[in-house]
Amino acid sequence: LRIYFNHAEIGDILKPLNVNNIEACVHGSILATNILKQPELYTKDFEIADITLFNDTLGTLSLESQWSDDIGGVRLDANLKNKNRMTAMIDGFIYPTKNTLDLSVIFNKLPLEWMQPFVSDLLYKTSGSISSGLSIEGKMTAPITEGWFKFDNAEIGINYTNVSYQISDTIIEISPHKVGFEGLVIKDQYNNKATVKGSVVHHNFDDMKYALDMDINNLMVLNTEDRTDSLFYGKLFASGNVKMRGDNNGINMDLNIRNDKNSRLKVQIPQTEEASDYKSIVYINVPEEKKVVDLKSLMEAARRDEDDPLNMKLNMTLNVNPGIALGVVINPSTGDNMQVKGNGQIKFGYDLLTEA
């Protein structure tokens, strides 16, 4: 089977499959032989040029592969270039008959901006780049991964808190059963810092155990003074420590923090709603088919929730001091509010499964 591409537009090919926001031009040929016995794959001058993802240009991907009878596998050489600079490369062998592989993966300051559309619900900003040196070998069903990766001048912005953080260029080590880092530093826009240590112990990326420790020093954790549609808003600086431990069954998180100077926080008391009586009642008939589909979807969602419970237990100790201007909004419509000032300690616990 031989397939030729001559300036084929990927966007036109994918649109019937309802896949949008991907544009590129494909050149070259692919040859597959012995498909029913021992498949062999060859490519010649194969190139995916000018890859654009959500209007962000990734570059041009070149792929060369050649079957070798001597080793019983495919020699693979792929690289991604943007403006003549190599940003990613995969090199090595794949052995289909043995179900094994032996690959090296290199990222050379691959820009992080292309991730933004995929995490837009969580992050409003991703910038900087990522570099890595990885080896992937062994069984395809349980590959062994070793190496490292690190961020270069990375910055992320969190939607919910409206705070952006710079991430230090700390190396993250990857071993066959562990991913971990120490001394990673994040900074807010005022150059206040938090030091983070974390690890994930796993068995072929299953049966994971998480650990994260964070020491915070006057870090801005909230910047929503203009967002009055939330139950709480303001600008909050905090110090203290965060400890998280977890596995596939749940996550335990302990926070012991205090507010720092120049913090301002307003809390809105939830307002009660009034119901009005209407003399005219309008009945809307919902098609029977639609009701069945909706009920089925709800039952499936409920079943998934029951089958995959991931518990989270949160224990928080909040030490409040006069460094915070704390206000309670009693009625947003009339502007009634009160100011609270002093020292105190608030302890809070929450269990996601019991909701208590």
Side-chain angles (χ1 to χ4, degrees):
L1 174 65
R2 187 184 297 271
I3 304 174
Y4 293 95
F5 296 94
N6 184 17
H7 298 281
E9 294 289 342
I10 283 185
D12 295 337
I13 298 173
L14 296 179
K15 280 181 181 177
L17 302 176
N18 201 30
V19 178
N20 301 308
N21 301 309
I22 300 177
E23 299 291 338
C25 187
V26 184
H27 318 278
S29 64
I30 299 175
L31 173 63
T33 63
N34 296 330
I35 296 176
L36 300 179
K37 296 181 181 179
Q38 179 178 295
E40 301 175 7
L41 182 67
Y42 306 84
T43 61
K44 184 177 181 181
D45 300 325
F46 187 79
E47 183 179 86
I48 305 177
D50 301 322
I51 303 172
T52 302
L53 192 62
F54 289 92
N55 298 318
D56 185 45
T57 302
L58 291 182
T60 295
L61 175 66
S62 299
L63 173 63
E64 292 293 336
S65 62
Q66 182 76 32
W67 177 268
S68 172
D69 288 326
D70 294 336
I71 63 172
V74 178
R75 174 74 166 84
L76 183 67
D77 181 10
N79 61 76
L80 178 66
K81 290 184 178 181
N82 192 354
K83 298 179 180 178
N84 295 320
R85 186 178 71 85
M86 193 274 290
T87 56
M89 182 181 73
I90 301 176
D91 181 67
F93 297 89
I94 299 176
Y95 308 97
T97 57
K98 300 177 183 178
N99 192 32
T100 60
L101 46 75
D102 183 5
L103 299 173
S104 64
V105 179
I106 295 174
F107 293 152
N108 179 29
K109 295 188 176 181
L110 181 68
L112 292 172
E113 284 84 355
W114 66 272
M115 296 175 54
Q116 176 61 37
F118 300 101
V119 294
S120 58
D121 290 341
L122 178 64
L123 304 177
Y124 67 83
K125 178 180 182 180
T126 57
S127 64
S129 61
I130 186 171
S131 299
S132 74
L134 301 172
S135 67
I136 305 173
E137 58 185 29
K139 293 290 184 181
M140 294 183 188
T141 53
I144 298 173
T145 304
E146 289 188 88
W148 59 272
F149 70 88
K150 73 181 184 74
F151 296 106
D152 303 292
N153 299 316
E155 186 173 357
I156 61 171
I158 301 174
N159 282 333
Y160 188 73
T161 62
N162 193 37
V163 182
S164 63
Y165 298 110
Q166 297 176 356
I167 303 174
S168 65
D169 298 348
T170 304
I171 292 178
I172 299 173
E173 301 284 351
I174 301 175
S175 62
H177 301 293
K178 183 180 179 180
V179 178
F181 57 88
E182 294 188 19
L184 186 145
V185 177
I186 62 175
K187 299 180 183 179
D188 63 21
Q189 66 189 61
Y190 299 101
N191 212 34
N192 302 321
K193 300 177 183 179
T195 304
V196 189
K197 173 184 177 181
S199 67
V200 178
V201 179
H202 62 91
H203 180 68
N204 294 326
F205 292 96
D206 194 11
D207 190 25
M208 295 187 180
K209 292 180 173 59
Y210 317 95
L212 184 140
D213 294 281
M214 179 183 295
D215 291 320
I216 305 170
N217 184 18
N218 197 31
L219 190 73
M220 183 165 63
V221 295
L222 186 69
N223 186 27
T224 57
E225 290 186 296
D226 297 327
R227 182 178 159 185
T228 58
D229 60 334
S230 177
L231 286 179
F232 58 90
Y233 55 92
K235 181 177 287 188
L236 182 61
F237 297 87
S239 295
N241 57 74
V242 177
K243 181 178 180 180
M244 187 190 77
R245 299 292 184 270
D247 54 27
N248 290 350
N249 297 317
I251 297 173
N252 294 319
M253 185 175 293
D254 296 297
L255 297 89
N256 190 339
I257 58 177
R258 71 175 186 275
N259 66 272
D260 283 310
K261 294 186 298 182
N262 302 317
S263 294
R264 298 180 295 276
L265 184 66
K266 286 192 175 182
V267 180
Q268 294 196 71
I269 296 178
Q271 303 298 301
T272 57
E273 299 291 339
E274 294 184 356
S276 301
D277 293 330
Y278 293 91
K279 295 182 179 179
S280 300
I281 300 176
V282 179
Y283 293 93
I284 301 175
N285 292 323
V286 179
E288 190 68 25
E289 181 181 353
K290 179 66 175 178
K291 288 193 291 186
V292 172
V293 172
D294 289 345
L295 180 60
K296 183 178 179 181
S297 300
L298 290 173
M299 292 177 63
E300 289 178 351
R303 191 179 300 115
R304 285 195 300 270
D305 290 341
E306 292 177 356
D307 292 342
D308 302 308
L310 180 61
N311 190 21
M312 172 179 277
K313 294 182 179 179
L314 174 65
N315 296 296
M316 182 173 69
T317 300
L318 176 61
N319 298 286
V320 181
N321 60 60
I324 184 172
L326 181 60
V328 179
V329 180
I330 300 173
N331 190 325
S333 301
T334 62
D336 294 342
N337 67 88
M338 65 179 181
Q339 301 297 316
V340 180
K341 197 168 186 178
N343 294 282
Q345 186 180 81
I346 301 172
K347 290 192 174 184
F348 174 80
Y350 182 75
D351 190 313
L352 183 62
L353 285 186
T354 62
E355 296 187 349

